[in-house]
Amino acid sequence: MKRLDQVLANDGVGAELELVIKDVMVACKDIAYKLAQGELAGILGATEDENVQGETQKKLDVISNDLLKDILIANPYVRGIGSEEEDYTVAGNAGGKYLVTFDPLDGSSNIDVNLSVGTIFSVLEAQDDQSGDNQEVFLQNGRKQVAAGYVLYGPSALLVMTTGNGVNFFTLDRNIGEFVLTKSNIQIPEDTAEFAINMSNQRFWEPEMKQYIDDCLAGEEGPLGKRYNMRWVASMVAEVHRILVRGGIFMYPYDSRDPSKAGKLRLMYEGNPMSMIVEQAGGASSTGRIDIMDVEPKGIHDRVPVVLGSKNEVAKVVAYHSK
Ligand code: AHM
Ligand code: MG
């Protein structure tokens, strides 16, 4: 079986980027081991702090953030990092070529109930010589990503990643402490009859999204002509992983609960990396109106409406928005 470093070398990934990805994995393995220990490691429960998004931080959000931040800012090739749990971007090495953004523990409402969570990361190249504590250097659209991935901490820990050459699955072999290749060249089925959305927000959606979901619920007799199934794990990493394995469509659309926010999910460390993975696996990813990776960020914590998954179903949702 091939190890992650062998696959990266085969894909022609340069030594510097490889060392950045390997450091992300050192932190992720540590997170995986801590999660597996659960209550025994004393890492469950909330802190008394809120992050910049106004969300209460879980102990494990903070621990995971510190693991990733500490190893990455010490990496000579990392100019800086941006994290869901850091108010501002943090400088690494002034000579570093790469910028890493991450959500250290996504789906964190699942931590205390022992359900799936994940780490999401995205790597960009610094385009000029500004320091990594200046967020301007990060403000590039998703097409500029040179690598994107997530680690899903489920019954097994899985790394799913792309460097622009297709999508591979790696499983953490705890006996040797390495991620080994377990599936390559992942392709998302183009059609699906399975959607994932938090239905409790329905009354806050735009009319186009309401109409699409109403038509899904109408089943065979409705305009979409098929009977849909629904899933909602409340963990984007788990939803995207299900879609990579068996197809589907995941949506966290714009809603009017807080008009200052364009959606719940964040562009630079949730929307963009997941979009790169999904597109590299033959799927599609949109705000409902434009491709997520074409959205120009204005701030490191920008939010974005997300519609991603099986290509033909995403195209239907986009068509509802252009009516
Ligand atoms: P988080 O980064 O604070 O964990 O929030 C992101 C998560 C996603 O993983 C998931 O799709 C969504 O929030 C679930 O939201 P909700 O609780 O509204 O269902
Ligand atoms: Mg998140």
Side-chain angles (χ1 to χ4, degrees), residues 96-121:
K97 180 171 167 190
Y98 294 107
L99 303 163
V100 186
T101 63
F102 50 85
D103 179 352
L105 211 57
D106 184 61
S108 39
S109 72
N110 281 334
I111 299 172
D112 292 344
V113 288
N114 203 25
L115 292 175
S116 295
V117 287
T119 297
I120 310 173
F121 66 94

Side-chain angles (χ1 to χ4, degrees), residues 75-153:
N75 182 308
Y77 308 113
V78 174
R79 178 83 62 87
I81 60 113
S83 163
E84 178 174 327
E85 307 301 340
E86 295 286 334
D87 297 4
Y88 306 104
T89 61
V90 180
N93 189 310
K97 180 171 167 190
Y98 294 107
L99 303 163
V100 186
T101 63
F102 50 85
D103 179 352
L105 211 57
D106 184 61
S108 39
S109 72
N110 281 334
I111 299 172
D112 292 344
V113 288
N114 203 25
L115 292 175
S116 295
V117 287
T119 297
I120 310 173
F121 66 94
S122 157
V123 187
L124 292 160
E125 268 181 32
Q127 302 293 338
D128 52 39
D129 54 10
Q130 294 179 73
S131 164
D133 53 7
N134 182 345
Q135 75 159 356
E136 294 293 316
V137 71
F138 286 81
L139 302 182
Q140 308 173 38
N141 71 34
R143 303 265 172 226
K144 305 267 174 58
Q145 294 172 105
V146 292
Y150 62 79
V151 175
L152 169 61
Y153 310 103

Side-chain angles (χ1 to χ4, degrees), residues 51 53 55-56 61 84-85 103-110 116-118 120 197-201 232-239 250-252 255 257 264-266 269-270 303:
N51 64 16
Q53 348 258 345
E55 301 157 343
T56 305
D61 284 327
E84 178 174 327
E85 307 301 340
D103 179 352
L105 211 57
D106 184 61
S108 39
S109 72
N110 281 334
S116 295
V117 287
I120 310 173
I197 196 164
N198 184 340
M199 292 288 293
S200 68
N201 297 324
W232 188 248
V233 189
S235 174
M236 188 193 201
V237 175
E239 321 273 8
F250 167 85
M251 290 156 285
Y252 214 116
D255 67 57
R257 279 177 292 173
K264 178 175 182 186
L265 301 177
R266 276 62 42 126
Y269 40 81
E270 293 174 324
R303 298 188 187 239

Side-chain angles (χ1 to χ4, degrees), residues 210-258:
K210 278 189 189 147
Q211 190 61 55
Y212 168 69
I213 294 295
D214 282 350
D215 292 348
C216 290
L217 298 178
E220 296 93 323
E221 283 80 44
L224 296 170
K226 38 182 182 178
R227 182 180 297 190
Y228 282 80
N229 184 29
M230 195 198 95
R231 286 287 184 274
W232 188 248
V233 189
S235 174
M236 188 193 201
V237 175
E239 321 273 8
V240 170
H241 195 67
R242 185 184 60 249
I243 288 170
L244 287 175
V245 172
R246 67 176 192 213
I249 185 166
F250 167 85
M251 290 156 285
Y252 214 116
Y254 171 82
D255 67 57
S256 61
R257 279 177 292 173
D258 179 348

Side-chain angles (χ1 to χ4, degrees), residues 11-315:
D11 282 351
V13 171
E16 298 186 2
L17 180 56
E18 185 187 326
L19 286 170
V20 173
I21 293 168
K22 277 171 110 173
D23 272 356
V24 174
M25 286 315 118
V26 170
C28 288
K29 284 185 238 176
D30 208 342
I31 298 169
Y33 296 132
K34 287 190 164 59
L35 275 165
Q37 286 286 95
E39 199 85 68
L40 299 175
I43 40 100
L44 303 187
T47 67
E48 288 179 355
D49 300 323
E50 278 191 353
N51 64 16
V52 69
Q53 348 258 345
E55 301 157 343
T56 305
Q57 290 178 308
K58 304 273 186 187
K59 279 187 202 161
L60 213 55
D61 284 327
V62 176
I63 294 168
S64 307
N65 182 60
D66 289 348
L67 285 169
L68 282 157
K69 179 175 75 172
D70 292 349
I71 194 162
L72 286 171
I73 61 176
N75 182 308
Y77 308 113
V78 174
R79 178 83 62 87
I81 60 113
S83 163
E84 178 174 327
E85 307 301 340
E86 295 286 334
D87 297 4
Y88 306 104
T89 61
V90 180
N93 189 310
K97 180 171 167 190
Y98 294 107
L99 303 163
V100 186
T101 63
F102 50 85
D103 179 352
L105 211 57
D106 184 61
S108 39
S109 72
N110 281 334
I111 299 172
D112 292 344
V113 288
N114 203 25
L115 292 175
S116 295
V117 287
T119 297
I120 310 173
F121 66 94
S122 157
V123 187
L124 292 160
E125 268 181 32
Q127 302 293 338
D128 52 39
D129 54 10
Q130 294 179 73
S131 164
D133 53 7
N134 182 345
Q135 75 159 356
E136 294 293 316
V137 71
F138 286 81
L139 302 182
Q140 308 173 38
N141 71 34
R143 303 265 172 226
K144 305 267 174 58
Q145 294 172 105
V146 292
Y150 62 79
V151 175
L152 169 61
Y153 310 103
S156 53
L158 282 180
L159 163 66
V160 174
M161 72 163 295
T162 182
T163 51
N165 200 10
V167 177
N168 295 318
F169 290 178
F170 302 84
T171 304
L172 178 60
D173 182 340
R174 289 172 198 257
N175 294 325
I176 58 170
E178 295 280 354
F179 282 100
V180 294
L181 182 68
T182 39
K183 275 202 178 70
S184 50
N185 191 25
I186 304 302
Q187 290 294 317
I188 299 175
E190 291 185 355
D191 293 294
T192 186
E194 189 165 80
F195 68 84
I197 196 164
N198 184 340
M199 292 288 293
S200 68
N201 297 324
Q202 192 174 29
R203 70 188 189 282
F204 301 111
W205 298 336
E206 294 181 303
E208 294 84 351
M209 188 54 66
K210 278 189 189 147
Q211 190 61 55
Y212 168 69
I213 294 295
D214 282 350
D215 292 348
C216 290
L217 298 178
E220 296 93 323
E221 283 80 44
L224 296 170
K226 38 182 182 178
R227 182 180 297 190
Y228 282 80
N229 184 29
M230 195 198 95
R231 286 287 184 274
W232 188 248
V233 189
S235 174
M236 188 193 201
V237 175
E239 321 273 8
V240 170
H241 195 67
R242 185 184 60 249
I243 288 170
L244 287 175
V245 172
R246 67 176 192 213
I249 185 166
F250 167 85
M251 290 156 285
Y252 214 116
Y254 171 82
D255 67 57
S256 61
R257 279 177 292 173
D258 179 348
S260 69
K261 294 175 183 164
K264 178 175 182 186
L265 301 177
R266 276 62 42 126
L267 176 63
M268 297 211 64
Y269 40 81
E270 293 174 324
N272 276 340
M274 291 311 204
S275 298
M276 183 177 182
I277 292 167
V278 165
E279 281 198 13
Q280 282 286 318
S285 170
S286 171
T287 64
R289 296 189 168 85
I290 63 165
D291 287 0
I292 288 180
M293 287 196 286
D294 290 330
V295 174
E296 295 296 339
K298 296 189 180 63
I300 190 79
H301 299 297
D302 279 7
R303 298 188 187 239
V304 69
V306 173
V307 178
L308 60 76
S310 294
K311 201 177 182 166
N312 294 339
E313 202 63 28
V314 173

